[in-house]
Amino acid sequence: MRAAAGAADVAALDAVVPTCRACPRLVEWRELVGIEKRAAFRDETYWARPVPGFGDPRARVLVVGLAPAAHGANRTGRMFTGDRSGDFLFAAMHRTGFASQATSTSRDDGLTLTDVRVTAPVRCAPPANDPTPQERRTCGPFLARELALLRPQVVVVLGAFGWQALLSTLGEQGWAVPRPRPPFAHGTEVVLSHPSIGSLTVLGCFHVSQQNTFTGRLTPEMLDAVLRRARALVGPSG
Ligand code: SF4
């Protein structure tokens, strides 16, 4: 995808992402959701476009999820914003010193992130949270460019889908990803090396979906521990 490859910096990438219409099924779905809306949000104008990453453009920690939620990020236009998953994530970021406030409700709510950025391998809300393999491949260059521009020292990956997407992208960029690939698990920590960039630590964490947080599979303490580990690896903010 030429638009992604041409982005000179993170701001340019964030500007180009919302213009993408490369996946017909996802374009149709994200816009349909924005027209039909959920009753609770019927007075709002949905973003209904691809969602760029959000956070510190100089972040040393990148948090990678799955894709925007139909009535969350697809409504608000900010990653992980406007649904319970995001509430869980940003509260943890606030507790661990990465976020200026514990809630993220809209693009103009004043939230700032320090030393962390949140993103996803697929930028459009997919039906049933399930992008096709083709859609994942088509969207891949955006994550690839984001990694190349940001050069994070730590990537926290939320869930198995993001784990596979991230390791694929890193492998394509010349990082020495072991074969067979390390499997996803909560608490997994993998250190990768690159001949010219150096090293990068990938931390596995269960996704912040309600399926995990409502059942106690992922507790606030567990997420805090992963974020604190990321903080320990990069050291204090400069
Ligand atoms: S999923 Fe990615 S590649 Fe597909 S339309 Fe959305 S932004 Fe473009």
Side-chain angles (χ1 to χ4, degrees), residues 74-123:
N74 187 55
R75 173 172 59 88
T76 63
R78 185 197 279 167
M79 279 292 173
F80 287 104
T81 296
D83 59 21
R84 296 282 180 87
S85 300
D87 293 348
F88 196 90
L89 177 62
F90 287 111
M93 285 190 177
H94 183 58
R95 287 192 299 270
T96 52
F98 286 109
S100 64
Q101 57 194 46
T103 58
S104 179
T105 55
S106 70
R107 285 165 58 83
D108 57 2
D109 64 3
L111 171 67
T112 56
L113 303 183
T114 302
D115 220 1
V116 71
R117 180 175 164 91
V118 291
T119 195
V122 173
R123 308 304 176 111

Short mmCIF file of all heavy atoms in Angstrom, two decimals, residues 74-123:
data_model
loop_
_atom_site.label_atom_id
_atom_site.label_comp_id
_atom_site.label_asym_id
_atom_site.label_seq_id
_atom_site.Cartn_x
_atom_site.Cartn_y
_atom_site.Cartn_z
N ASN A 74 -14.84 2.84 16.17
CA ASN A 74 -15.49 3.20 14.90
C ASN A 74 -16.48 4.35 15.09
O ASN A 74 -16.82 5.05 14.15
CB ASN A 74 -16.21 1.99 14.31
CG ASN A 74 -16.76 2.25 12.92
OD1 ASN A 74 -16.03 2.64 12.01
ND2 ASN A 74 -18.08 2.06 12.75
N ARG A 75 -16.90 4.56 16.31
CA ARG A 75 -17.79 5.69 16.62
C ARG A 75 -16.98 6.94 16.97
O ARG A 75 -17.26 8.03 16.48
CB ARG A 75 -18.70 5.30 17.80
CG ARG A 75 -19.56 6.45 18.33
CD ARG A 75 -20.56 5.93 19.36
NE ARG A 75 -19.93 5.29 20.49
CZ ARG A 75 -19.53 5.91 21.60
NH1 ARG A 75 -19.69 7.21 21.72
NH2 ARG A 75 -18.97 5.23 22.60
N THR A 76 -15.96 6.76 17.82
CA THR A 76 -15.24 7.92 18.35
C THR A 76 -14.04 8.34 17.51
O THR A 76 -13.59 9.48 17.61
CB THR A 76 -14.73 7.62 19.77
OG1 THR A 76 -13.79 6.53 19.69
CG2 THR A 76 -15.87 7.23 20.71
N GLY A 77 -13.49 7.41 16.73
CA GLY A 77 -12.33 7.74 15.90
C GLY A 77 -11.01 7.66 16.65
O GLY A 77 -9.98 8.05 16.11
N ARG A 78 -11.02 7.16 17.86
CA ARG A 78 -9.77 6.97 18.62
C ARG A 78 -9.71 5.51 19.08
O ARG A 78 -10.69 4.97 19.58
CB ARG A 78 -9.74 7.89 19.83
CG ARG A 78 -8.40 7.81 20.58
CD ARG A 78 -8.49 8.38 21.98
NE ARG A 78 -8.39 9.82 22.02
CZ ARG A 78 -8.70 10.54 23.11
NH1 ARG A 78 -9.15 9.94 24.21
NH2 ARG A 78 -8.57 11.84 23.09
N MET A 79 -8.52 4.94 18.94
CA MET A 79 -8.34 3.53 19.31
C MET A 79 -8.80 3.27 20.75
O MET A 79 -8.48 4.05 21.64
CB MET A 79 -6.86 3.14 19.18
CG MET A 79 -6.41 2.82 17.79
SD MET A 79 -7.17 1.31 17.18
CE MET A 79 -6.57 1.37 15.47
N PHE A 80 -9.48 2.17 20.94
CA PHE A 80 -9.90 1.70 22.27
C PHE A 80 -10.79 2.71 23.01
O PHE A 80 -10.87 2.66 24.23
CB PHE A 80 -8.68 1.38 23.15
CG PHE A 80 -7.97 0.11 22.76
CD1 PHE A 80 -6.76 0.17 22.09
CD2 PHE A 80 -8.50 -1.13 23.08
CE1 PHE A 80 -6.10 -1.00 21.72
CE2 PHE A 80 -7.84 -2.30 22.72
CZ PHE A 80 -6.64 -2.23 22.04
N THR A 81 -11.41 3.60 22.29
CA THR A 81 -12.17 4.66 22.97
C THR A 81 -13.67 4.52 22.73
O THR A 81 -14.10 4.40 21.58
CB THR A 81 -11.66 6.03 22.48
OG1 THR A 81 -10.30 6.16 22.88
CG2 THR A 81 -12.49 7.16 23.05
N GLY A 82 -14.40 4.53 23.85
CA GLY A 82 -15.86 4.49 23.73
C GLY A 82 -16.48 3.15 24.01
O GLY A 82 -17.65 2.94 23.70
N ASP A 83 -15.72 2.24 24.59
CA ASP A 83 -16.33 0.96 24.97
C ASP A 83 -15.63 0.41 26.24
O ASP A 83 -14.66 0.99 26.73
CB ASP A 83 -16.28 -0.07 23.83
CG ASP A 83 -14.86 -0.36 23.36
OD1 ASP A 83 -13.90 -0.12 24.13
OD2 ASP A 83 -14.69 -0.84 22.23
N ARG A 84 -16.15 -0.67 26.73
CA ARG A 84 -15.63 -1.22 28.00
C ARG A 84 -14.19 -1.70 27.89
O ARG A 84 -13.45 -1.63 28.87
CB ARG A 84 -16.52 -2.41 28.44
CG ARG A 84 -17.96 -2.02 28.75
CD ARG A 84 -18.03 -1.38 30.13
NE ARG A 84 -19.38 -0.98 30.46
CZ ARG A 84 -20.27 -1.78 31.04
NH1 ARG A 84 -19.96 -3.02 31.33
NH2 ARG A 84 -21.48 -1.33 31.31
N SER A 85 -13.81 -2.19 26.72
CA SER A 85 -12.42 -2.65 26.56
C SER A 85 -11.46 -1.49 26.79
O SER A 85 -10.46 -1.61 27.51
CB SER A 85 -12.20 -3.20 25.15
OG SER A 85 -13.05 -4.27 24.90
N GLY A 86 -11.79 -0.37 26.16
CA GLY A 86 -10.94 0.81 26.33
C GLY A 86 -10.96 1.33 27.76
O GLY A 86 -9.94 1.77 28.28
N ASP A 87 -12.14 1.30 28.39
CA ASP A 87 -12.22 1.74 29.78
C ASP A 87 -11.22 0.96 30.64
O ASP A 87 -10.53 1.52 31.49
CB ASP A 87 -13.64 1.52 30.34
CG ASP A 87 -14.67 2.42 29.66
OD1 ASP A 87 -14.28 3.35 28.94
OD2 ASP A 87 -15.88 2.15 29.85
N PHE A 88 -11.18 -0.35 30.40
CA PHE A 88 -10.30 -1.23 31.18
C PHE A 88 -8.83 -0.89 30.90
O PHE A 88 -8.01 -0.80 31.81
CB PHE A 88 -10.61 -2.68 30.78
CG PHE A 88 -10.09 -3.72 31.72
CD1 PHE A 88 -10.86 -4.16 32.80
CD2 PHE A 88 -8.83 -4.28 31.53
CE1 PHE A 88 -10.37 -5.14 33.66
CE2 PHE A 88 -8.35 -5.25 32.39
CZ PHE A 88 -9.12 -5.68 33.46
N LEU A 89 -8.52 -0.68 29.62
CA LEU A 89 -7.14 -0.43 29.23
C LEU A 89 -6.65 0.94 29.73
O LEU A 89 -5.56 1.04 30.32
CB LEU A 89 -7.00 -0.49 27.70
CG LEU A 89 -5.61 -0.16 27.14
CD1 LEU A 89 -4.57 -1.16 27.63
CD2 LEU A 89 -5.65 -0.14 25.62
N PHE A 90 -7.42 1.98 29.51
CA PHE A 90 -6.95 3.31 29.88
C PHE A 90 -6.89 3.51 31.39
O PHE A 90 -6.05 4.25 31.90
CB PHE A 90 -7.78 4.40 29.19
CG PHE A 90 -7.48 4.51 27.72
CD1 PHE A 90 -8.41 4.14 26.77
CD2 PHE A 90 -6.24 4.96 27.29
CE1 PHE A 90 -8.12 4.22 25.41
CE2 PHE A 90 -5.92 5.05 25.93
CZ PHE A 90 -6.88 4.67 24.99
N ALA A 91 -7.78 2.85 32.11
CA ALA A 91 -7.69 2.92 33.57
C ALA A 91 -6.36 2.33 34.04
O ALA A 91 -5.69 2.88 34.92
CB ALA A 91 -8.87 2.17 34.20
N ALA A 92 -5.97 1.22 33.41
CA ALA A 92 -4.68 0.60 33.77
C ALA A 92 -3.52 1.50 33.37
O ALA A 92 -2.52 1.62 34.11
CB ALA A 92 -4.56 -0.77 33.09
N MET A 93 -3.63 2.13 32.23
CA MET A 93 -2.54 3.02 31.80
C MET A 93 -2.42 4.21 32.75
O MET A 93 -1.31 4.69 33.00
CB MET A 93 -2.82 3.53 30.38
CG MET A 93 -2.56 2.49 29.33
SD MET A 93 -2.63 3.24 27.70
CE MET A 93 -2.19 1.83 26.70
N HIS A 94 -3.54 4.66 33.25
CA HIS A 94 -3.49 5.77 34.20
C HIS A 94 -2.85 5.32 35.51
O HIS A 94 -2.01 6.01 36.08
CB HIS A 94 -4.91 6.28 34.44
CG HIS A 94 -4.97 7.47 35.36
ND1 HIS A 94 -4.32 8.65 35.11
CD2 HIS A 94 -5.60 7.65 36.54
CE1 HIS A 94 -4.55 9.50 36.07
NE2 HIS A 94 -5.31 8.93 36.97
N ARG A 95 -3.24 4.14 35.98
CA ARG A 95 -2.66 3.63 37.24
C ARG A 95 -1.15 3.46 37.13
O ARG A 95 -0.43 3.59 38.11
CB ARG A 95 -3.30 2.28 37.61
CG ARG A 95 -4.72 2.37 38.11
CD ARG A 95 -5.17 1.04 38.73
NE ARG A 95 -5.16 -0.06 37.78
CZ ARG A 95 -6.18 -0.41 37.01
NH1 ARG A 95 -7.31 0.26 37.08
NH2 ARG A 95 -6.09 -1.44 36.20
N THR A 96 -0.68 3.12 35.92
CA THR A 96 0.74 2.82 35.76
C THR A 96 1.53 4.01 35.20
O THR A 96 2.69 3.86 34.82
CB THR A 96 0.93 1.58 34.84
OG1 THR A 96 0.20 1.79 33.62
CG2 THR A 96 0.42 0.33 35.51
N GLY A 97 0.89 5.16 35.11
CA GLY A 97 1.61 6.38 34.77
C GLY A 97 1.77 6.67 33.29
O GLY A 97 2.51 7.58 32.91
N PHE A 98 1.07 5.93 32.43
CA PHE A 98 1.19 6.17 31.00
C PHE A 98 0.12 7.14 30.47
O PHE A 98 0.28 7.69 29.38
CB PHE A 98 1.06 4.85 30.22
CG PHE A 98 2.27 3.95 30.30
CD1 PHE A 98 2.22 2.76 31.04
CD2 PHE A 98 3.44 4.27 29.63
CE1 PHE A 98 3.33 1.92 31.10
CE2 PHE A 98 4.54 3.43 29.68
CZ PHE A 98 4.49 2.25 30.42
N ALA A 99 -0.98 7.30 31.19
CA ALA A 99 -2.10 8.11 30.70
C ALA A 99 -2.41 9.24 31.67
O ALA A 99 -2.33 9.07 32.89
CB ALA A 99 -3.34 7.24 30.49
N SER A 100 -2.80 10.38 31.12
CA SER A 100 -3.06 11.56 31.96
C SER A 100 -4.38 11.46 32.71
O SER A 100 -4.60 12.19 33.67
CB SER A 100 -3.06 12.82 31.09
OG SER A 100 -4.13 12.77 30.15
N GLN A 101 -5.27 10.61 32.24
CA GLN A 101 -6.55 10.42 32.93
C GLN A 101 -6.99 8.97 32.75
O GLN A 101 -6.48 8.25 31.89
CB GLN A 101 -7.60 11.39 32.39
CG GLN A 101 -7.84 11.30 30.90
CD GLN A 101 -8.63 12.50 30.35
OE1 GLN A 101 -8.35 13.65 30.66
NE2 GLN A 101 -9.64 12.22 29.54
N ALA A 102 -7.94 8.56 33.58
CA ALA A 102 -8.32 7.15 33.63
C ALA A 102 -9.37 6.78 32.60
O ALA A 102 -9.68 5.60 32.42
CB ALA A 102 -8.83 6.79 35.03
N THR A 103 -9.93 7.78 31.91
CA THR A 103 -10.99 7.48 30.93
C THR A 103 -10.63 8.08 29.58
O THR A 103 -9.91 9.08 29.49
CB THR A 103 -12.34 8.07 31.38
OG1 THR A 103 -12.17 9.48 31.55
CG2 THR A 103 -12.81 7.43 32.68
N SER A 104 -11.16 7.43 28.55
CA SER A 104 -11.00 7.92 27.18
C SER A 104 -12.38 7.85 26.54
O SER A 104 -12.90 6.76 26.28
CB SER A 104 -10.01 7.02 26.43
OG SER A 104 -9.85 7.45 25.10
N THR A 105 -12.97 9.00 26.32
CA THR A 105 -14.36 9.00 25.86
C THR A 105 -14.55 9.58 24.46
O THR A 105 -15.51 9.22 23.78
CB THR A 105 -15.24 9.80 26.84
OG1 THR A 105 -14.68 11.12 26.98
CG2 THR A 105 -15.30 9.12 28.20
N SER A 106 -13.65 10.47 24.04
CA SER A 106 -13.80 11.07 22.70
C SER A 106 -12.46 11.65 22.27
O SER A 106 -11.53 11.77 23.08
CB SER A 106 -14.85 12.19 22.73
OG SER A 106 -14.35 13.29 23.47
N ARG A 107 -12.36 12.04 21.02
CA ARG A 107 -11.09 12.56 20.50
C ARG A 107 -10.71 13.90 21.12
O ARG A 107 -9.57 14.32 21.01
CB ARG A 107 -11.19 12.70 18.97
CG ARG A 107 -11.11 11.37 18.24
CD ARG A 107 -11.56 11.49 16.80
NE ARG A 107 -10.81 12.45 16.02
CZ ARG A 107 -9.64 12.20 15.43
NH1 ARG A 107 -9.09 11.00 15.55
NH2 ARG A 107 -9.03 13.13 14.73
N ASP A 108 -11.66 14.58 21.73
CA ASP A 108 -11.34 15.89 22.31
C ASP A 108 -11.54 15.91 23.83
O ASP A 108 -11.87 16.94 24.41
CB ASP A 108 -12.18 16.99 21.65
CG ASP A 108 -13.67 16.71 21.76
OD1 ASP A 108 -14.04 15.69 22.39
OD2 ASP A 108 -14.46 17.51 21.22
N ASP A 109 -11.30 14.79 24.48
CA ASP A 109 -11.51 14.73 25.94
C ASP A 109 -10.28 15.14 26.74
O ASP A 109 -10.28 15.09 27.97
CB ASP A 109 -11.97 13.33 26.37
CG ASP A 109 -10.91 12.26 26.11
OD1 ASP A 109 -9.81 12.61 25.64
OD2 ASP A 109 -11.20 11.07 26.34
N GLY A 110 -9.21 15.51 26.04
CA GLY A 110 -8.02 16.00 26.74
C GLY A 110 -7.03 14.93 27.16
O GLY A 110 -5.96 15.25 27.69
N LEU A 111 -7.34 13.68 26.92
CA LEU A 111 -6.41 12.60 27.31
C LEU A 111 -5.09 12.70 26.54
O LEU A 111 -5.08 12.89 25.33
CB LEU A 111 -7.06 11.24 27.01
CG LEU A 111 -6.15 10.02 27.15
CD1 LEU A 111 -5.74 9.80 28.60
CD2 LEU A 111 -6.85 8.76 26.61
N THR A 112 -3.99 12.55 27.27
CA THR A 112 -2.69 12.43 26.62
C THR A 112 -2.00 11.17 27.15
O THR A 112 -2.17 10.81 28.32
CB THR A 112 -1.79 13.66 26.89
OG1 THR A 112 -1.65 13.83 28.31
CG2 THR A 112 -2.36 14.91 26.28
N LEU A 113 -1.25 10.55 26.29
CA LEU A 113 -0.46 9.38 26.69
C LEU A 113 1.02 9.76 26.64
O LEU A 113 1.44 10.51 25.76
CB LEU A 113 -0.72 8.21 25.73
CG LEU A 113 -2.16 7.75 25.58
CD1 LEU A 113 -2.24 6.54 24.65
CD2 LEU A 113 -2.78 7.43 26.93
N THR A 114 1.78 9.26 27.59
CA THR A 114 3.21 9.54 27.66
C THR A 114 3.99 8.24 27.52
O THR A 114 3.78 7.30 28.30
CB THR A 114 3.56 10.21 29.01
OG1 THR A 114 2.80 11.41 29.13
CG2 THR A 114 5.04 10.55 29.08
N ASP A 115 4.81 8.19 26.48
CA ASP A 115 5.71 7.06 26.24
C ASP A 115 4.96 5.79 25.80
O ASP A 115 5.53 4.70 25.82
CB ASP A 115 6.55 6.74 27.48
CG ASP A 115 7.98 6.39 27.11
OD1 ASP A 115 8.31 6.40 25.90
OD2 ASP A 115 8.77 6.10 28.02
N VAL A 116 3.70 5.94 25.43
CA VAL A 116 2.96 4.78 24.95
C VAL A 116 2.05 5.22 23.81
O VAL A 116 1.59 6.38 23.77
CB VAL A 116 2.14 4.11 26.08
CG1 VAL A 116 0.96 4.96 26.50
CG2 VAL A 116 1.68 2.73 25.67
N ARG A 117 1.81 4.29 22.91
CA ARG A 117 0.90 4.53 21.79
C ARG A 117 0.08 3.27 21.61
O ARG A 117 0.60 2.16 21.79
CB ARG A 117 1.75 4.86 20.54
CG ARG A 117 0.94 5.13 19.28
CD ARG A 117 1.91 5.56 18.16
NE ARG A 117 1.25 5.47 16.87
CZ ARG A 117 0.58 6.47 16.30
NH1 ARG A 117 0.46 7.63 16.90
NH2 ARG A 117 0.01 6.31 15.12
N VAL A 118 -1.18 3.44 21.25
CA VAL A 118 -2.05 2.27 21.04
C VAL A 118 -2.40 2.19 19.56
O VAL A 118 -2.66 3.21 18.91
CB VAL A 118 -3.34 2.35 21.90
CG1 VAL A 118 -3.00 2.17 23.36
CG2 VAL A 118 -4.09 3.65 21.68
N THR A 119 -2.43 0.97 19.05
CA THR A 119 -2.72 0.78 17.64
C THR A 119 -3.31 -0.61 17.39
O THR A 119 -3.55 -1.35 18.36
CB THR A 119 -1.45 1.01 16.79
OG1 THR A 119 -1.81 1.16 15.43
CG2 THR A 119 -0.46 -0.15 16.95
N ALA A 120 -3.54 -0.93 16.13
CA ALA A 120 -4.13 -2.24 15.80
C ALA A 120 -3.65 -2.67 14.41
O ALA A 120 -3.39 -1.83 13.56
CB ALA A 120 -5.65 -2.14 15.82
N PRO A 121 -3.58 -3.98 14.17
CA PRO A 121 -3.14 -4.47 12.87
C PRO A 121 -4.19 -4.26 11.78
O PRO A 121 -3.86 -4.27 10.61
CB PRO A 121 -2.91 -5.97 13.09
CG PRO A 121 -3.05 -6.20 14.54
CD PRO A 121 -3.80 -5.05 15.13
N VAL A 122 -5.46 -4.12 12.16
CA VAL A 122 -6.54 -3.85 11.21
C VAL A 122 -7.23 -2.56 11.66
O VAL A 122 -7.60 -2.45 12.83
CB VAL A 122 -7.55 -5.02 11.15
CG1 VAL A 122 -8.75 -4.67 10.29
CG2 VAL A 122 -6.87 -6.28 10.61
N ARG A 123 -7.39 -1.61 10.77
CA ARG A 123 -7.83 -0.26 11.16
C ARG A 123 -9.31 0.00 10.99
O ARG A 123 -9.79 1.07 11.37
CB ARG A 123 -7.06 0.80 10.37
CG ARG A 123 -5.55 0.65 10.40
CD ARG A 123 -5.02 0.63 11.81
NE ARG A 123 -3.59 0.38 11.83
CZ ARG A 123 -2.69 1.29 12.18
NH1 ARG A 123 -3.06 2.49 12.56
NH2 ARG A 123 -1.41 0.97 12.18
#
